[in-house]
Amino acid sequence: MNNLFHVIKDPVHGTMQFTSAEDSWVKPFIDSSNFQRLRHIKQLGMGDFIFPGAVHTRFNHCLGCSYIASQIAHKIGLADEERQLVMIACLLHDIGHGPFSHAFEGIFYDKLIKHEDWTPYFLMDYGTKDFFQLYNRLNPRTHLTEDKFRVIAEMIMHKPVIKGVLADIVSSQLDADRLDYLLRDSHFCGVRYGEFDFRWMLHCMAIVESKDGERLGITHKGIGVVEHYLMARRLMIRNIYHSQKKLALESLLVKLLENLAESLEFHTAYTTIRHTRLGKFLIAANRFNQVVENSKNTQEFKREFIEQNYSSYKELCDYDVFALIKQLAEVGDTSPCSEIAVRLQHRKMPKILRLDSVELHSVEFELQGFKSKYSHDFQDWQLMLIQTPHRSYSGEDDPILVVNEQGAVKPISEFSFMINAISDRLEHVAFLCVDNKIAEDKRVIALMKHLQATSVYS
């Protein structure tokens, strides 16, 4: 029995082999409806509107993440029960995502509710007596207990656990999540700059001693591949995750959902939408936004909203939103919802004006003045300023640790000039998103020329 393997053919990792024991550890979770829902949530939101191959899903990524966790666990010599915990945690780490992944979080005021906030509720669905009984019948030698599942949940939710090296596999700057999504997103987007030598990195991984106990690190032989990996991450952020047209389309999607949520309860054209699962959720989200905007007790309102709407949220996926876009695009009126839906349904791309972040305050001031002056001619969503600050590596909070030939452990920035240069550096990209319908208006052209002239592009 121990020599049997369950094989999953994967375009990124090739033949992913799981032992019969590993298969039994993860399969009850994979077969659950909550996890199967991830098949219908694309990994990169609206990324496939820009990179047509990017139709891979959170489901694909979570399987790959669990596989990488097993590979790391084998390499650093974790015991079976420890390997079981990290494989399950990596499998379930994205279970809380909503439609279009991170984009959907934008419908909430100040992005107060993120996918991580829903995750504990998904995990509670597994923490039942019936699920444990089913699971333990399939795993007589490695039972799942409440205490073990609590450790899994703590690793997913970035809480401290007794053995830090386990948590590092799930969430750190060398975690299985990043190692999979960089390779997977690069492959499906058809680009090469997200690639790095994963097999060599795996070979160089080791348990290292730190002031906080045992952590996941690398030997000195892995410095080069980590440099490659961090530069790959930086390039993927700038060119894929923060692709200007991708972010512009996702911002339009959020604007559509926000406008719809505000008008669902009284606009007669939306009567049928009002009674759908997504419609009811958006109405609840709009009420939540109105309450928390002027409230100091946001955490309590947030908890109540999640508890009351979890049953609807866990059924939502990309298909609900696509069906909504198609329906609104066919309404044919001049409301923001229908106008934006037409742009998304037919991929009518906005015009992009890239700006230097140094001048952002003056740009924001001038744009607001322009919108106020011509509020009767242009809608808010037709002129959007989008900012995307990012860090490629955080050396101060959670450094990648290297053990050298003498056994000394130091942060990798002390060995690498390149990593030291990018460590904790906040990079900015900002751009103006202009609806193509107004891009030829003389007033808009004058505004864009003025912004270009005053912006110092770096």
Side-chain angles (χ1 to χ4, degrees):
M1 184 70 174
N2 290 333
N3 294 323
L4 295 177
F5 287 92
H6 180 77
V7 175
I8 298 177
K9 300 296 291 183
D10 183 71
V12 176
H13 302 301
T15 300
M16 298 194 302
Q17 291 188 335
F18 295 87
T19 67
S20 56
E22 290 172 337
D23 181 42
S24 296
W25 293 343
V26 297
K27 199 169 189 303
F29 293 98
I30 294 173
D31 288 344
S32 68
S33 59
N34 282 346
F35 191 81
Q36 289 294 317
R37 162 183 168 273
L38 298 180
R39 289 183 183 274
H40 313 302
I41 297 176
K42 291 201 298 297
Q43 175 82 358
L44 292 182
M46 302 195 77
D48 62 311
F49 277 52
I50 314 302
F51 307 96
V55 292
H56 57 303
T57 65
R58 290 281 160 184
F59 183 90
N60 309 141
H61 164 57
C62 288
L63 290 181
C65 187
S66 184
Y67 170 72
I68 286 181
S70 74
Q71 297 288 291
I72 297 173
H74 276 296
K75 171 60 180 64
I76 63 177
L78 294 185
D80 282 358
E81 288 202 355
E82 294 173 332
R83 195 167 84 252
Q84 177 190 23
L85 297 183
V86 296
M87 286 184 66
I88 295 172
C90 284
L91 184 77
L92 300 180
H93 79 284
D94 273 349
I95 196 75
H97 269 293
F100 292 92
S101 294
H102 294 284
F104 196 71
E105 298 169 358
I107 70 171
F108 297 107
Y109 174 76
D110 207 23
K111 293 189 176 180
L112 271 175
I113 300 179
K114 299 184 182 297
H115 74 275
E116 293 94 344
D117 296 309
W118 299 95
T119 297
Y121 293 84
F122 282 93
L123 296 179
M124 280 192 287
D125 282 353
Y126 297 113
T128 65
K129 182 179 179 180
D130 288 344
F131 183 81
F132 283 155
Q133 287 179 345
L134 168 66
Y135 188 94
N136 292 336
R137 281 200 300 271
L138 297 172
N139 294 278
R141 296 184 180 180
T142 48
H143 278 193
L144 189 62
T145 64
E146 289 186 9
D147 288 340
K148 289 169 72 173
F149 196 67
R150 187 178 303 112
V151 174
I152 291 170
E154 287 171 346
M155 289 192 290
I156 294 173
M157 298 305 298
H158 316 300
K159 295 180 179 179
V161 296
I162 294 175
K163 195 164 184 178
V165 68
L166 303 184
D168 287 342
I169 296 174
V170 181
S171 178
S172 70
Q173 296 193 94
L174 274 181
D175 62 30
D177 179 28
R178 296 185 186 188
L179 298 180
D180 182 81
Y181 75 58
L182 287 177
L183 295 173
R184 189 168 302 278
D185 296 343
S186 178
H187 172 86
F188 282 97
C189 287
V191 299
R192 302 296 297 272
Y193 38 70
E195 297 176 358
F196 59 95
D197 192 344
F198 165 67
R199 287 294 157 189
W200 181 249
M201 180 181 284
L202 182 65
H203 174 76
C204 297
M205 284 185 173
I207 296 177
V208 301
E209 291 291 340
S210 76
K211 58 182 176 57
D212 300 317
E214 291 185 340
R215 302 294 302 273
L216 179 65
I218 60 162
T219 67
H220 67 283
K221 293 182 179 180
I223 294 172
V225 71
V226 173
E227 288 180 326
H228 191 182
Y229 155 75
L230 290 177
M231 188 52 64
R233 184 168 186 267
R234 178 176 181 270
L235 292 172
M236 288 292 286
I237 291 172
R238 292 178 67 85
N239 296 294
I240 303 296
Y241 307 134
H242 289 179
S243 162
Q244 293 159 31
K245 289 194 174 182
K246 171 183 176 294
L247 292 181
L249 287 171
E250 290 174 351
S251 295
L252 284 174
L253 174 63
V254 170
K255 287 290 186 183
L256 183 155
L257 295 174
E258 286 177 342
N259 276 279
L260 181 63
E262 291 171 359
S263 55
L264 261 178
E265 292 188 88
F266 60 83
H267 200 309
T268 55
Y270 304 147
T271 302
T272 56
I273 298 173
R274 191 181 308 155
H275 301 293
T276 64
R277 182 168 51 229
L278 179 56
K280 292 176 182 177
F281 185 87
L282 290 176
I283 289 172
N286 182 55
R287 292 172 180 169
F288 168 79
N289 290 339
Q290 291 175 338
V291 169
V292 298
E293 186 173 1
N294 299 305
S295 172
K296 295 181 179 179
N297 192 22
T298 56
Q299 290 304 311
E300 181 61 25
F301 287 120
K302 177 176 167 179
R303 183 189 61 78
E304 289 179 1
F305 174 83
I306 293 174
E307 287 182 355
Q308 293 169 5
N309 295 280
Y310 168 65
S311 59
S312 295
Y313 179 84
K314 72 175 184 177
E315 299 297 330
L316 296 175
C317 66
D318 290 4
Y319 297 148
D320 295 278
V321 180
F322 274 128
L324 176 68
I325 291 171
K326 187 174 187 297
Q327 183 175 348
L328 288 172
E330 293 171 353
V331 170
D333 63 20
T334 57
S335 69
C337 299
S338 295
E339 291 274 12
I340 298 172
V342 168
R343 271 90 169 151
L344 297 177
Q345 177 74 5
H346 301 290
R347 196 182 177 272
K348 295 181 180 293
M349 301 295 296
K351 187 168 183 175
I352 301 296
L353 177 68
R354 180 143 176 183
L355 303 166
D356 182 11
S357 60
V358 175
E359 303 295 332
L360 277 183
H361 289 301
S362 61
V363 169
E364 288 176 322
F365 180 78
E366 293 194 38
L367 182 60
Q368 193 58 47
F370 182 88
K371 286 183 175 182
S372 298
K373 184 177 181 180
Y374 299 111
S375 58
H376 296 294
D377 300 309
F378 309 120
Q379 298 184 50
D380 182 67
W381 62 268
Q382 292 183 299
L383 288 160
M384 296 187 295
L385 180 62
I386 299 175
Q387 305 174 48
T388 58
H390 60 276
R391 285 187 180 89
S392 301
Y393 173 67
S394 301
E396 185 175 336
D397 296 334
D398 183 28
I400 294 173
L401 299 175
V402 179
V403 56
N404 66 14
E405 298 97 317
Q406 290 75 41
V409 177
K410 295 181 180 179
I412 195 169
S413 58
E414 295 189 23
F415 296 93
S416 169
F417 173 82
M418 187 202 82
I419 294 176
N420 184 58
I422 67 171
S423 181
D424 299 296
R425 290 288 300 274
L426 187 63
E427 300 184 66
H428 294 269
V429 173
F431 58 94
L432 184 66
C433 172
V434 182
D435 180 32
N436 251 323
K437 191 174 182 179
I438 66 169
E440 299 305 317
D441 186 284
K442 292 180 180 180
R443 293 164 293 180
V444 174
I445 291 173
L447 171 69
M448 294 172 68
K449 286 182 178 179
H450 176 67
L451 294 179
Q452 280 184 314
T454 57
S455 176
V456 183
Y457 180 74
S458 61

